[in-house]
Amino acid sequence: MQQRPLTRLDQVQLDAVVRRHEMFRNARIGGARATLSFFDLNGLDLTGRDLAHADFVGASLRGANLGGARLDCASMFATDLRLANLENASLIKTDLRGACLRGAILIGANLFEADLRDGSLAEKDRDGSLRIIQVEDRPTEASGADLSGANLTNARLSGAMAIHTDFTDALMRGCKLVRATMRGANFTGSNLEGADLSGADLRGACLRGAVLTGATMIMTELADADMEDALTDDPVGRVVAELGRPLDELLHEHIRWVGSSGAEGTALDLSGFDLRHAPSLAHTCLTMLRAVGATLYGLDLTSVQLQAAVLEKGDLRLAKLINGDLRGVNLRLAKLNNADLRKANLRPLYFDERRSMASDLSGARLRYADLRGACLREVNFAGADLSFANLSGCDLTNTDLTNARMFGAKLERRALSDGAILDGVAGLKL
């Protein structure tokens, strides 16, 4: 095994290389692809730069700032990224085989279809034989890295070492984690739907509230793992078949009940039911539905009518509620992580000039929820978790955000200066 020396670049030299690369990306004369293989770039600043398709093979970026950088399809084979800042960076289809991400910050990074499998660098000798190149004496791993909220959909981490790595709320659907070593890793609230965890070592890992539906877990080691509240293929509570009648018939009876103010039909109560395999409820009238603690994970509820519905403690993670009428809805303590609530209407439901019912989402979890363009007038978000939620274009007039968690939440600059949108909002610290 031979150690390969690295060539040091300073910030001025690196900036010149990056400028030419960005010209190359824009097909401008004088541009050239950034070839930074086996360069020492430790501690340098690449914040927000476009380095898609750049070559970083064997380079060292220890402690570098790559926050918000675009690194799609970049070659980062065996790259040293220890303690690097990759927060909100785009690493779509990036080759990270053999890369060292120990202690790196990848909060909110997009690693869709990235390759993070193990790997070693080799080159040919004069006699044609291969020899392993050792850039430094370091293990290939992501141990201690922070990948909370990262998008690892279809990413490949087979054989990777990620001991005590933080995958909180990460989107890991279809992720390949075959024989990965992830002892003590934190997967709280992460989505591992359809992931392959065959032979993975998850001893002592925290999978509390994680989604494991459709996951392959053949010979997965789970000793001392915390699986509390994890969502698997097993039913949560009662199944639709236990309703006694087809759901379509019961919905028809419920609509009659709503339309006749209770004189005809029967009110629908789905409390405690697992509706994941129910027929589509998009565009359905579910006004005044009662579904306390129901599981509606991933359901298409586009343009649904849920006025005055009681969905307290319900699981609506990844549910689509686009354009939904949720006036006066009760979603206290509900799970709405990654839910799509674009242009949903959650303003109060008015019965007459004196009586109204405000929407209640106190204590609800809406981490990474998409609320763009939603009407949130007078909504009670007291104690709710809106971390990393997208609130761009929302009407927050008289909204109660007392003790709500807003870390990383997106509020567009226009809203921050527009009194009509934020008028009377309580508990919002700017």
Side-chain angles (χ1 to χ4, degrees), residues 171-230:
L171 196 58
M172 304 177 75
R173 288 192 287 181
C175 198
K176 301 297 182 186
L177 294 153
V178 179
R179 297 184 303 280
T181 303
M182 296 176 290
R183 292 191 300 273
N186 186 2
F187 291 93
T188 302
S190 62
N191 191 320
L192 288 150
E193 182 180 341
D196 191 347
L197 293 149
S198 301
D201 186 353
L202 289 165
R203 286 176 291 176
C206 181
L207 290 150
R208 184 174 297 182
V211 177
L212 292 162
T213 55
T216 303
M217 303 185 74
I218 300 170
M219 298 183 70
T220 303
E221 295 189 48
L222 291 164
D224 299 319
D226 186 351
M227 301 281 288
E228 183 180 346
D229 204 26

Side-chain angles (χ1 to χ4, degrees), residues 69-324:
R70 185 175 181 184
L71 296 155
D72 303 337
C73 301
S75 298
M76 304 191 85
F77 194 103
T79 302
D80 186 352
L81 291 159
R82 280 179 286 180
L83 301 175
N85 177 22
L86 289 147
E87 186 171 354
N88 293 320
S90 183
L91 295 134
I92 298 171
K93 297 185 178 180
T94 301
D95 186 355
L96 286 156
R97 287 174 296 164
C100 185
L101 291 157
R102 194 192 321 160
I105 299 170
L106 293 113
I107 299 171
N110 188 353
L111 291 119
F112 178 79
E113 292 190 357
D115 194 343
L116 293 97
R117 293 173 295 172
D118 200 5
S120 299
L121 279 173
E123 66 179 5
K124 281 188 178 181
D125 275 331
R126 290 181 179 179
D127 61 2
S129 61
L130 289 175
R131 63 180 176 186
I132 301 298
I133 298 173
Q134 181 181 9
V135 180
E136 280 189 49
D137 184 16
R138 67 173 191 263
T140 300
E141 58 175 331
S143 298
D146 190 345
L147 286 137
S148 55
N151 181 5
L152 288 152
T153 303
N154 296 336
R156 289 170 283 180
L157 288 94
S158 296
M161 183 172 289
I163 298 172
H164 297 296
T165 300
D166 190 353
F167 292 102
T168 302
D169 293 318
L171 196 58
M172 304 177 75
R173 288 192 287 181
C175 198
K176 301 297 182 186
L177 294 153
V178 179
R179 297 184 303 280
T181 303
M182 296 176 290
R183 292 191 300 273
N186 186 2
F187 291 93
T188 302
S190 62
N191 191 320
L192 288 150
E193 182 180 341
D196 191 347
L197 293 149
S198 301
D201 186 353
L202 289 165
R203 286 176 291 176
C206 181
L207 290 150
R208 184 174 297 182
V211 177
L212 292 162
T213 55
T216 303
M217 303 185 74
I218 300 170
M219 298 183 70
T220 303
E221 295 189 48
L222 291 164
D224 299 319
D226 186 351
M227 301 281 288
E228 183 180 346
D229 204 26
L231 187 65
T232 65
D233 291 322
D234 296 330
V236 181
R238 303 168 68 188
V239 296
V240 175
E242 296 180 48
L243 286 168
R245 294 171 58 191
L247 183 57
D248 289 343
E249 290 183 14
L250 295 173
L251 287 170
H252 179 70
E253 288 295 304
H254 181 78
I255 293 170
R256 286 182 59 210
W257 177 77
V258 172
S260 65
S261 299
E264 300 176 6
T266 307
L268 184 58
D269 191 338
L270 295 172
S271 296
F273 276 87
D274 188 338
L275 302 169
R276 283 180 287 170
H277 303 293
S280 174
L281 296 173
H283 308 280
T284 304
C285 175
L286 297 173
T287 302
M288 298 183 72
L289 169 72
R290 186 169 180 82
V292 176
T295 300
L296 295 94
Y297 167 85
L299 287 189
D300 185 359
L301 296 164
T302 302
S303 299
V304 71
Q305 295 181 48
L306 281 166
Q307 306 95 323
V310 181
L311 297 165
E312 188 172 336
K313 298 180 181 179
D315 187 348
L316 290 96
R317 285 175 290 177
L318 280 172
K320 294 180 180 179
L321 291 149
I322 306 164
N323 292 316

Side-chain angles (χ1 to χ4, degrees), residues 6-10 36 38-44 59-61:
L6 302 180
T7 304
R8 176 64 183 177
L9 284 187
D10 60 28
L36 295 161
F38 296 104
F39 276 91
D40 177 355
L41 309 171
N42 293 336
L44 298 184
S60 182
L61 286 148

Side-chain angles (χ1 to χ4, degrees), residues 388-408:
F388 305 101
N390 193 338
L391 296 161
S392 300
C394 286
D395 185 346
L396 292 163
T397 304
N398 295 325
T399 300
D400 187 354
L401 291 164
T402 304
N403 297 324
R405 296 183 63 186
M406 301 285 290
F407 179 77

